Amino acid sequence: YLEIKASGSKSWIFRYTIYGKRKEMGLGAYPAIELKGAREVAAALYKKTKADPTHDPIIERNKTIAKAKQEQQENQVTFKWCAEQFIESKTPEWNNKKSPQQWTNTLTTYAYPFIGDYPVKEINTELIMRVLKPIWTTKTETASRIRGRLENVLSWAAVQGYRGLDNPALWKGHLDKLLPAPNKIKKVKPHTALPFKDMHAFMINLRERECM
């Protein structure tokens, strides 16, 4: 039906009956939706209600709208936002007052340029490798620390329901198959030892010093 209101606006209405109760569902305004389009939509809805007497087009449409809104909200939940929420939530338990700033600085420098604006639900192994691989052998200690922070943020996001339970930043059984173990590539460079013949002069010099 075409409903014409007192204001003069016109819109298409689909009437149907479910459980003995008549209901009306709007199909859109005229002339944005013309007669042919309204008839096609109404015919499809009529076919569904006849095939399944329990099918309610309004409930079905509301579910579709709710699902679309949920997906839109999930796409707005970025990795950076999750990291910020995680840091804020954990700050009270960290003994080192510098920890929040250290977390923020390392993620800002190394992670956010690659994955900061990505929806957290889309973070996968490939993206994690983009963050870690360039610095894994050159800044091993920093890279290892960042990996742990990525793992923590993604675990937080999973618990909050923003992504699945899989964690692409997990080391054991996952990234350890793609990257060399940190303790295998970390090159320890000892300080140069003092030649034995210089020990006597060094000890005399040392005993003259009163500082710690």
Side-chain angles (χ1 to χ4, degrees):
Y1 294 88
L2 181 65
E3 181 181 62
I4 304 175
K5 295 184 178 180
S7 62
S9 63
K10 304 174 183 178
S11 58
W12 299 106
I13 302 295
F14 173 66
R15 287 181 179 174
Y16 63 101
T17 302
I18 184 169
Y19 299 122
K21 182 180 179 180
R22 174 174 287 185
K23 301 182 74 173
E24 293 185 347
M25 175 179 174
L27 301 181
Y30 175 86
I33 297 178
E34 297 182 349
L35 176 60
K36 182 180 179 181
R39 281 177 170 170
E40 289 175 353
V41 174
L45 292 173
Y46 179 79
K47 186 176 181 180
K48 286 184 178 180
T49 55
K50 282 296 181 183
D52 181 5
T54 64
H55 177 78
D56 191 330
I58 292 179
I59 293 178
E60 192 67 25
R61 181 179 63 183
N62 291 342
K63 286 181 179 179
T64 302
I65 293 173
K67 183 179 179 181
K69 286 183 177 179
Q70 182 180 358
E71 290 178 351
Q72 183 180 15
Q73 291 174 350
E74 288 177 353
N75 288 333
Q76 292 173 348
V77 178
T78 64
F79 176 84
K80 181 179 180 181
W81 182 85
C82 289
E84 291 170 344
Q85 301 307 306
F86 174 81
I87 292 170
E88 182 180 350
S89 68
K90 302 299 283 186
T91 294
E93 75 177 48
W94 286 335
N95 294 326
N96 188 348
K97 294 182 179 180
K98 295 182 180 180
S99 292
Q101 193 59 50
Q102 291 172 344
W103 271 68
T104 299
N105 290 345
T106 54
L107 292 176
T108 299
T109 302
Y110 299 104
Y112 294 164
F114 294 96
I115 62 174
D117 294 331
Y118 267 81
V120 73
K121 68 176 183 179
E122 294 182 8
I123 303 298
N124 55 25
T125 304
E126 180 185 353
L127 291 172
I128 294 297
M129 289 293 287
R130 287 187 195 177
V131 176
L132 299 177
K133 194 172 182 180
I135 58 173
W136 193 255
T137 57
T138 57
K139 300 179 180 178
T140 306
E141 185 176 348
T142 299
S144 182
R145 189 178 295 116
I146 292 170
R147 185 212 61 77
R149 290 172 182 176
L150 296 177
E151 180 183 346
N152 275 285
V153 172
L154 293 176
S155 291
W156 179 89
V159 172
Q160 296 291 332
Y162 297 130
R163 61 172 288 117
L165 296 177
D166 64 300
N167 195 321
L170 191 68
W171 175 251
K172 190 174 182 179
H174 188 61
L175 290 181
D176 62 345
K177 310 304 179 187
L178 302 175
L179 296 167
N183 60 351
K184 299 294 184 182
I185 59 176
K186 184 178 179 181
K187 298 177 181 179
V188 179
K189 185 178 180 181
H191 292 291
T192 303
L194 183 70
F196 181 75
K197 63 183 180 62
D198 296 332
M199 185 61 74
H200 177 70
F202 169 75
M203 291 305 297
I204 292 174
N205 181 286
L206 181 63
R207 286 169 179 167
E208 290 176 351
R209 298 170 180 263
E210 296 182 357
C211 60
M212 290 297 293

